[in-house]
Amino acid sequence: MNLDDIIELAAARQPSALDRARGRRAAERVLREYAEATAEGRNLLGDLDVEDVLAPHVDEAARIRRTAESAQAGWVQWDAATGGLTWSDEMSRLFGYPAVATHVARDVLLNGIHPDDRDRVRQAVERGWTRRAPTDVTFRLLRADGTVRYVQCLVELLSPDGRNPTGIIATGHDVTRRELDRQQHTRRLRRDRLNGADHGHRPVAQCPVDRETFLRMVDRAAGSGPGALLVITVEPAGSLPAGRADQVTRTVAGVLSRVVPDTDFAGMLSPAEFGVFFHDLETATAQATSVHHQLTLTTAGGVRLRARSGLVACTGEVPVSGHDLLLDAMWAGREGHRGRPSALSVLAGPRSARARTDAVRMEVGAAIRSGRLRLHAQPILDLALNEINRYEILLRVLDEADRPQPPATFLAMAERGADIVAVDRWVVRQSLAVIGSGPQTAHYQINLSGRTLSAPGLADFVLRALDEHEVDPRMITFEVTESAAIGDLPAAVVFAQAVRRRGCELALDDFGTGYSSLSVLRRLPVDQLKIDGSFVTGLTRSPFDRITVQAVVGMCQALGIRTAAESAEDAATVELLRTIGVDFVQGYAVARPRPLPVPIVAPRRDGPAFLDRATG
Amino acid sequence: MPEQPATEAGTLRDSALDASFTGFFIRNHLDVETFLQRLEADRGMVEDVSQEAFIAIRAKWQDVQHYDDPRAYVMGAARNILRRHQARRGRTPTLFFDDLSMPEIAAPETPREAADRLAGWIQLLPPRMGEVMSLTHDGVPDRTIARLLGISHNTVREYKVEGRRKLLQLAQDDGFVVPAGRRRK
């Protein structure tokens, strides 16, 4: 079947008896409505032409002009014989001139058209004349008063006898409103399509949600009514097969998404810590017990799980932040644990702010003093040279079994108070000691919290430590981690200037999330910008992430800032980042973090063994 | 006579007009609706517009019945009313070609299905080109189309060529390529 078959079939339509009956009823309805309308004296004709437009009229151009005018459209006509241009009052008004003259100069017309659209309009007129092709053209008018209007014109050839062309006529009207709607629609479509493409790999309702989202949700829930927060720390009861370390995380996430009801929500706080928020205070303890019990019955990679859980209730009467609730639930879990392999302990309400602060301070202090903090180094690939010549120094906290854990919770806890300054100072001192004892052939990047950055005396402390350990400042980059807002931006700028004067570099971390914003970028003299991993993990699948990263890289190149991408998980992502023009990349695709040895006093020129492997 | 108030004569004349209008309506209202359907996918709006157009025609029927082509005149009036309704609805821009994920389209079996399929394609043409193609399919001559739409005769002929080319493309995109072999002409 083709187009002509379908046209033929469509034309074969004969009104059925049903159609005829329906037609008669419809005719009666029309007559009834007509009678009612005339009785009410309504005007039925509207803008209906009162003459027979089909009667043969004098002249084609006159006919077109008349129709245009009755439709409130403007027209402009070019007569080939005289070369004269005439226009209607309406067209004159569209161009921003009072409707006084019927003749118009060619330059007035051309100059009234937006410079960017002039060529298109000229082409439309030429096509109309030489190829007899009618063209609908939408263009902008730049009026004398500076306003811009969108106009749509039909440019057509006049040829009253159907053979010999006599001129050109353009009829049109203001479509500004419609054009803006159309542009908006096109933008929306693109936006939706980009976001829609994201949904393929990033489900809208994720369970469990990530740490930040979870804390935001707890904030909102705890602020609006009663509820209870359960925090579970999970560990395998035995050793997992090699390469199955993330099995626990995946298993627990799976269990939680199954057992947590839709009305409540769960989040992953770190690979070994999970949170669940229950809205119903009455049943929360029973539900928490059930979740806890479920987990202890679960195996991951053939190994049973141990769970240590703390539940804290909030009545919604006393305001408490999600983060404080989290600290309390974790504290309850630890306190209630006391040597038992698995336990759930319940706290009837949030602790006092004072008790919380003191506990955090003690804990952070204890971690530093008892040597539970460790440094790891994650290799960074320089994409221009295609070699690993930098390392980011990462903090790890040893858990009860002396296994290093990512410090998300520990740092978040420390960052709440001033304790983070102590942690950061420890990291700087320790890192520089290790670096100073090595060959100093690689560049190191050290994290500093936004809070530490504005702490008094930091610049002096850092510069002294550099001298003390004889570290080449040009081989050090300080990464500003903006998980908390920089308290005192001017003080941070002073620090940045001081260390950069020495030759250190400054990087802005986690760009694109949290407080890491364009305004911080404007104020701080930053040498490197690290694009947050959340934009990198889905890069090869998500057009949205790709466009964002491309734009950030373009912006940084123009600003003279180098870019780094975190969390690159596969070779394809690394290649894409290279194509986009990113300078540095790190992530599992490059290498996993490895422990940095702890010798504070070590023979110089005798670098940590792993460095030789990594750079070689 | 014209000075006389509404009398028996007037009522008689109105009844005669009603009768001839009813005949005209029954003969042509389906054509007008089909014509509108090719310009607007919303059936409800098509019915409203058709009704509104015929009411206006009834108001002028005394004159319109003597026009050269009353049916084409109704189509022209209906088209104006339709464009006004569409403007009022706000321009929810028609789907772009790449928005459409086309399911497998079955070959039409009845004239009605064929007309719907054709209407679907004409709706995708630029508005004015769609008007030209729709009137053409109703057998309206070029000169009349030019007058109804207020465009030049040349434009009508060019649009018919271009419109046919686009319709062939649309039909082909939907998988209607091979002639059925049952055309007798």
Side-chain angles (χ1 to χ4, degrees):
Chain A
M1 214 173 195
N2 66 9
L3 178 65
D4 289 318
D5 299 324
I6 290 174
I7 290 174
E8 194 187 341
L9 183 56
R13 183 169 178 192
Q14 291 294 331
S16 61
L18 196 72
D19 285 334
R20 277 194 294 275
R22 193 181 145 248
R24 256 188 300 278
R25 277 199 305 280
E28 283 162 18
R29 197 164 55 240
V30 166
L31 288 175
R32 206 163 47 240
E33 293 255 346
Y34 165 69
E36 280 170 21
T38 10
E40 290 168 16
R42 259 188 289 155
N43 170 25
L44 289 171
L45 296 180
D47 56 8
L48 206 62
D49 238 313
V50 279
E51 288 170 56
D52 181 7
V53 288
L54 302 180
H57 271 291
V58 268
D59 164 38
E60 184 171 57
R63 170 176 69 71
I64 294 173
R65 290 197 303 261
R66 206 179 63 108
T67 318
E69 278 164 19
S70 72
Q72 276 100 45
W75 55 263
V76 54
Q77 185 185 347
W78 173 71
D79 187 71
T82 65
L85 279 165
T86 45
W87 66 359
S88 69
D89 294 355
E90 179 60 25
M91 189 57 89
S92 166
R93 272 193 292 272
L94 282 175
F95 273 76
Y97 295 103
V100 282
T102 52
H103 281 76
V104 56
R106 184 175 166 276
D107 283 353
V108 171
L109 275 186
L110 266 185
N111 291 336
I113 297 168
H114 194 289
D116 293 352
D117 296 347
R118 242 169 247 166
D119 278 348
R120 245 169 359 97
V121 176
R122 206 181 279 130
Q123 279 161 15
V125 175
E126 276 167 16
R127 267 166 50 88
W129 181 246
T130 58
R131 314 229 309 260
R132 309 175 73 108
T135 309
D136 251 316
V137 57
T138 303
F139 55 93
R140 285 162 293 176
L141 290 178
L142 194 54
R143 293 165 162 182
D145 64 0
T147 56
V148 172
R149 305 303 291 174
Y150 283 89
V151 172
Q152 186 184 44
C153 272
L154 174 67
V155 180
E156 40 182 356
L157 183 79
L158 291 170
S159 169
D161 63 358
R163 264 187 302 279
N164 303 309
T166 61
I168 291 277
I169 190 162
T171 49
H173 51 277
D174 191 328
V175 291
T176 308
R177 181 77 258 152
R178 202 175 76 191
E179 180 62 21
L180 295 183
D181 285 353
R182 193 191 61 78
Q183 291 175 4
Q184 173 66 8
H185 177 82
T186 314
R187 277 193 297 268
R188 273 280 271 285
L189 213 65
R190 177 182 305 163
R191 192 77 184 79
D192 292 350
R193 196 173 296 164
L194 289 175
N195 279 10
D198 266 0
H199 294 158
H201 71 275
R202 198 175 296 165
V204 189
Q206 231 177 0
C207 180
V209 298
D210 63 44
R211 181 188 176 90
E212 262 133 75
T213 313
F214 182 73
L215 282 178
R216 255 202 321 277
M217 288 166 82
V218 173
D219 261 339
R220 211 177 310 134
S224 62
L229 175 67
L230 171 72
V231 172
I232 313 157
T233 309
V234 200
E235 58 177 20
S239 60
L240 278 172
R244 305 292 298 277
D246 56 347
Q247 186 63 47
V248 173
T249 310
R250 274 189 277 143
T251 303
V252 176
V255 170
L256 289 183
S257 64
R258 214 173 45 243
V259 302
V260 173
D262 286 345
T263 46
D264 301 327
F265 55 89
M268 188 176 106
L269 302 164
S270 78
E273 291 166 315
F274 296 83
V276 182
F277 191 88
F278 302 105
H279 282 99
D280 190 346
L281 200 48
E282 303 276 300
T283 61
T285 309
Q287 280 180 296
T289 311
S290 152
V291 171
H292 176 87
H293 190 60
Q294 286 266 0
L295 285 176
T296 56
L297 293 177
T298 307
T299 60
V303 179
R304 283 280 285 276
L305 295 180
R306 283 194 201 125
R308 199 178 64 202
S309 308
L311 180 74
V312 59
C314 64
T315 55
E317 284 155 19
V318 189
V320 56
S321 77
H323 195 272
D324 288 344
L325 271 185
L326 179 67
L327 288 180
D328 291 351
M330 292 179 70
W331 178 80
R334 269 196 310 276
E335 291 299 301
H337 169 50
R338 297 278 174 228
R340 280 178 289 164
S342 282
L344 168 71
S345 47
V346 181
L347 201 61
R351 292 175 293 170
S352 72
R354 179 69 184 274
R356 200 178 292 127
T357 316
D358 290 348
V360 167
R361 177 154 308 145
M362 270 179 58
E363 207 167 315
V364 171
I368 295 176
R369 277 192 308 278
S370 64
R372 301 208 77 77
L373 301 185
R374 289 285 187 279
L375 295 180
H376 283 214
Q378 179 162 36
I380 298 173
L381 180 67
D382 181 330
L383 284 172
L385 302 175
N386 211 21
E387 67 173 21
I388 290 169
N389 54 17
R390 312 185 154 234
Y391 298 85
E392 177 180 358
I393 293 181
L394 299 169
L395 182 66
R396 291 288 182 269
V397 184
L398 295 185
D399 63 12
E400 284 86 354
D402 286 342
R403 280 168 310 204
Q405 300 293 346
T409 310
F410 178 79
L411 285 184
M413 185 170 78
E415 205 150 54
R416 296 285 293 180
D419 306 300
I420 188 67
V421 179
V423 175
D424 280 352
R425 281 179 176 237
W426 181 87
V427 171
V428 169
R429 202 183 310 121
Q430 200 73 6
S431 304
L432 292 180
V434 175
I435 295 163
S437 67
Q440 299 200 28
T441 50
H443 197 108
Y444 287 88
Q445 311 206 152
I446 301 170
N447 286 282
L448 291 175
S449 155
R451 220 174 249 275
T452 308
L453 214 55
S454 49
L458 179 73
D460 284 344
F461 168 80
V462 166
L463 297 179
R464 259 204 322 276
L466 282 167
D467 290 341
E468 188 185 323
H469 298 288
E470 297 180 38
V471 172
D472 181 355
R474 290 168 305 175
M475 300 305 264
I476 301 295
T477 293
F478 290 102
E479 294 189 11
V480 185
T481 316
E482 268 266 78
S483 49
I486 294 182
D488 180 1
L489 199 51
V493 173
V494 168
F495 167 81
Q497 284 165 344
V499 295
R500 287 182 82 237
R501 218 174 294 131
R502 259 310 175 86
C504 296
E505 291 188 353
L506 201 68
L508 189 58
D509 206 357
D510 304 329
F511 187 76
T513 59
Y515 294 95
S516 200
S517 71
L518 286 173
S519 74
V520 172
L521 189 63
R522 185 175 56 190
R523 297 285 300 278
L524 273 186
V526 166
D527 305 286
Q528 188 193 122
L529 185 142
K530 300 189 78 174
I531 299 163
D532 189 71
S534 58
F535 289 95
V536 179
T537 44
L539 198 66
T540 52
R541 285 154 303 181
S542 159
F544 183 95
D545 291 352
R546 199 159 53 237
I547 291 167
T548 319
V549 170
Q550 271 166 344
V552 168
V553 169
M555 173 185 77
C556 286
Q557 283 169 345
L559 291 171
I561 296 172
R562 293 209 276 182
T563 46
E566 303 170 301
S567 311
E569 285 169 359
D570 52 43
T573 306
V574 175
E575 278 323 298
L576 185 54
L577 288 166
R578 194 196 303 275
T579 316
I580 290 174
V582 169
D583 297 293
F584 303 110
V585 57
Q586 65 189 72
Y588 289 175
V590 176
R592 289 177 181 252
R594 275 177 280 191
L596 206 59
V598 271
I600 293 194
V601 189
R604 202 153 299 155
R605 305 257 145 243
D606 182 14
F610 87 93
L611 284 184
D612 300 333
R613 280 204 304 278
T615 46
Chain B
M1 273 272 255
E3 297 302 312
Q4 290 212 341
T7 59
E8 222 168 283
T11 317
L12 270 177
R13 199 182 53 214
D14 270 349
S15 313
L17 282 175
D18 278 353
S20 71
F21 175 80
T22 303
F24 171 76
F25 181 93
I26 291 173
R27 276 195 308 281
N28 295 302
H29 82 282
L30 270 184
D31 282 357
V32 173
E33 278 192 14
T34 312
F35 161 72
L36 289 170
Q37 264 160 28
R38 300 196 202 104
L39 308 179
E40 170 59 51
D42 177 352
R43 292 284 163 117
M45 183 181 286
V46 165
E47 277 176 29
D48 290 350
V49 168
S50 165
Q51 168 144 338
E52 195 178 317
F54 273 107
I55 292 173
I57 294 302
R58 172 61 191 85
K60 275 188 68 177
W61 183 240
Q62 205 170 346
D63 299 326
V64 174
Q65 61 180 333
H66 303 303
Y67 283 0
D68 285 353
D69 188 347
R71 186 188 70 138
Y73 183 83
V74 182
M75 287 177 176
R79 168 256 189 191
N80 289 340
I81 295 169
L82 176 73
R83 295 304 183 207
R84 212 163 56 228
H85 276 247
Q86 286 172 333
R88 209 177 303 144
R89 171 180 62 192
R91 191 175 163 81
T92 32
T94 38
L95 290 171
F96 299 108
F97 284 75
D98 53 347
D99 291 351
L100 308 166
S101 56
M102 295 278 190
E104 185 74 20
I105 289 169
E109 286 174 358
T110 65
R112 171 126 206 186
E113 284 169 12
D116 285 351
R117 171 81 9 243
L118 187 61
W121 288 328
I122 293 179
Q123 283 165 17
L124 293 172
L125 298 179
R128 199 153 9 212
M129 194 179 288
E131 287 165 2
V132 169
M133 293 314 278
S134 189
L135 288 164
T136 301
H137 283 302
D138 283 321
V140 180
D142 291 2
R143 292 242 168 234
T144 311
I145 296 177
R147 292 197 177 111
L148 275 179
L149 301 180
I151 55 180
S152 82
H153 188 198
N154 177 67
T155 299
V156 174
R157 287 185 304 186
E158 294 286 333
Y159 270 0
K160 277 171 71 173
V161 176
E162 181 65 10
R164 163 131 185 116
R165 204 182 56 75
K166 290 196 173 177
L167 285 181
L168 278 170
Q169 183 61 49
L170 286 165
Q172 191 181 325
D173 291 348
D174 282 351
F176 297 101
V177 200
V178 193
R182 52 170 186 74
R183 299 188 60 206
R184 281 165 209 110
K185 273 176 239 167

